[in-house]
Amino acid sequence: MSSGKKRILLLHTGGTLGMTLSGQPDDSARFVDSLRQHAPRIFEIADLHVEILFNKDSSNMVPGDWLKVARALSQRMSEWDGFVVTHGTDTMVFTASALSYMLPSPSKPIVMTGSQRPMADAKSDAARNLIAAVEIACEARVKEVTIFFDSYLLRGNRAKKVSIPSFQAFESPNLPPLARVGLRTDYVPAPYPSIESNPDFRIETRVAALALFPGMDIELFYGLIDKGVRGLVLKAFGPGDIPLGEHSVVHLIRALTEKGIPTVICSQALFGAVDLNLYETGRAAATAGAISAGDMTWEAALVKMMVLLGRGYPLGAFRAAFRKNLAGELTEELM
Ligand code: ASP
């Protein structure tokens, strides 16, 4: 007989939440018992089933792991009312971005969460994060890939890990939270594109990301071309400015563009959007062929590059697709 509760699938991938107090992934066989001991409420508010996909420190995750999570969600989408994905905080935003591009317009909420301290720690934030994540999955007001942490529900591909010690580990600098959880939960809807397409799990992993700094000698990085790099993300200054001069990255951008390899420009600043028209140092990058990431985080831009290259787009089509809002990751007017 049905309990009337929402059917929620919790997919565990690892992270601090399921670790021992000394910071190692705990025995997976103990995970469900630990949940029952430290966060019993989640089994009361939902008809909750737990599946352990893998149990890794998220720093050890690779794109193949993103695909495992994406495939599991896609295969089980119709069977459950919502999903909670438990995950380490360190690389959660990369996985969230990948899931958002691979599973366009999901029909169910996919709420990622984790914790800053293991469940077994008396001061842990795990139970609180889990309870809110399960509640949000049950309420199903936001059907996209999100991250719940501390008090905020964030769009996954807009989020950044901003704090090592704070329980509020994530923020989404260029998009207000989708919900604030306190005594009650206040949702703040944000537009989300509705894209009719099938899940697509292809990905290109031969990409590179470089953070620019004053005096950087770009000659050191020409070897990337011979090594077969398929795309480059540059973390540039302010609105996307790059240093000019003899050893400037502009020569590398031009060399890559001539070979049909995209270079995307992100900013080292947290807030606002790249604008390559503002200064000579940005225009030089654009003239050499660089593509603005607008107000995307560099993590969302890098994963988007991997996904679009995985679909085999040549440079022109890549440029057009990269500017599009695929899963709420950017503000199209700022591109
Ligand atoms: N190193 C851990 C991880 O990302 C950190 C965490 O979960 O907070 O898996």
Side-chain angles (χ1 to χ4, degrees):
M1 214 175 68
S2 155
S3 64
K5 292 181 193 169
K6 290 289 179 69
R7 299 186 70 242
I8 303 295
L9 179 63
L10 186 154
L11 292 173
H12 183 56
T13 68
T16 294
L17 182 136
M19 286 190 186
T20 62
L21 292 176
S22 58
Q24 279 154 340
D26 199 359
D27 182 351
S28 300
R30 278 203 284 268
F31 184 66
V32 177
D33 285 344
S34 296
L35 286 175
R36 288 195 183 281
Q37 185 185 347
H38 300 291
R41 179 88 184 116
I42 60 174
F43 295 94
E44 293 161 16
I45 52 185
D47 178 1
L48 188 91
H49 180 85
V50 179
E51 188 175 327
I52 296 170
L53 278 184
F54 44 87
N55 188 14
K56 287 187 175 187
D57 187 308
S58 76
S59 305
N60 289 327
M61 283 178 68
V62 293
D65 295 318
W66 307 340
L67 302 185
K68 275 185 207 153
V69 184
R71 286 204 172 93
L73 288 164
S74 171
Q75 285 160 1
R76 294 155 184 69
M77 194 63 77
S78 60
E79 294 163 42
W80 300 88
D81 295 315
F83 300 90
V84 170
V85 179
T86 42
H87 194 292
T89 59
D90 289 343
T91 69
M92 195 184 296
V93 301
F94 292 92
T95 306
S97 298
L99 297 178
S100 75
Y101 303 135
M102 288 176 183
L103 304 168
S105 304
S107 57
K108 307 288 168 59
I110 301 168
V111 188
M112 301 184 72
T113 196
S115 67
Q116 290 283 56
R117 293 294 302 149
M119 267 191 285
D121 185 327
K123 283 202 314 198
S124 179
D125 48 335
R128 176 191 155 99
N129 287 345
L130 282 166
I131 292 165
V134 172
E135 274 176 358
I136 288 165
C138 289
E139 283 166 9
R141 296 267 303 266
V142 185
K143 291 179 185 158
E144 54 177 282
V145 180
T146 53
I147 291 179
F148 178 81
F149 230 83
D150 195 39
S151 301
Y152 297 104
L153 183 71
L154 307 174
R155 180 165 288 164
N157 57 28
R158 290 283 199 158
K160 284 189 77 77
K161 182 168 179 181
V162 293
S163 178
I164 297 165
S166 166
F167 283 157
Q168 195 186 323
F170 294 93
E171 278 182 26
S172 60
N174 287 326
L175 189 77
L178 302 174
R180 292 184 174 81
V181 177
L183 291 180
R184 50 163 220 254
T185 301
D186 292 317
Y187 286 93
V188 184
Y192 188 82
S194 154
I195 292 182
E196 295 279 321
S197 68
N198 293 326
D200 190 330
F201 305 119
R202 290 170 293 170
I203 198 147
E204 172 60 76
T205 56
R206 285 169 297 172
V207 294
L210 292 177
L212 301 184
F213 57 88
M216 181 174 189
D217 184 351
I218 213 67
E219 302 272 311
L220 296 172
F221 301 99
Y222 274 93
L224 286 171
I225 299 180
D226 297 335
K227 291 276 180 203
V229 75
R230 291 286 193 270
L232 176 66
V233 168
L234 290 179
K235 292 199 253 175
F237 308 130
D241 296 333
I242 57 167
L244 302 179
E246 199 189 336
H247 297 302
S248 168
V249 70
V250 76
H251 307 298
L252 178 60
I253 298 172
R254 197 172 299 114
L256 289 166
T257 306
E258 279 165 8
K259 290 187 178 310
I261 300 167
T263 301
V264 160
I265 304 266
C266 299
S267 178
Q268 293 177 22
L270 270 184
F271 293 87
V274 167
D275 180 353
L276 298 180
N277 286 316
L278 221 47
Y279 295 97
E280 184 198 5
T281 43
R283 286 191 289 273
T287 307
I291 303 162
S292 165
D295 65 349
M296 272 184 263
T297 65
W298 81 266
E299 296 93 331
L302 177 86
V303 178
K304 186 171 184 176
M305 171 181 268
M306 295 168 84
V307 165
L308 294 180
L309 290 173
R311 292 176 191 173
Y313 290 129
L315 186 54
F318 176 94
R319 201 180 276 277
F322 193 81
R323 297 169 64 89
K324 288 217 176 92
N325 181 9
L326 300 184
E329 74 282 7
L330 57 79
T331 310
E332 256 177 21
E333 301 73 59
L334 296 174
M335 292 302 285

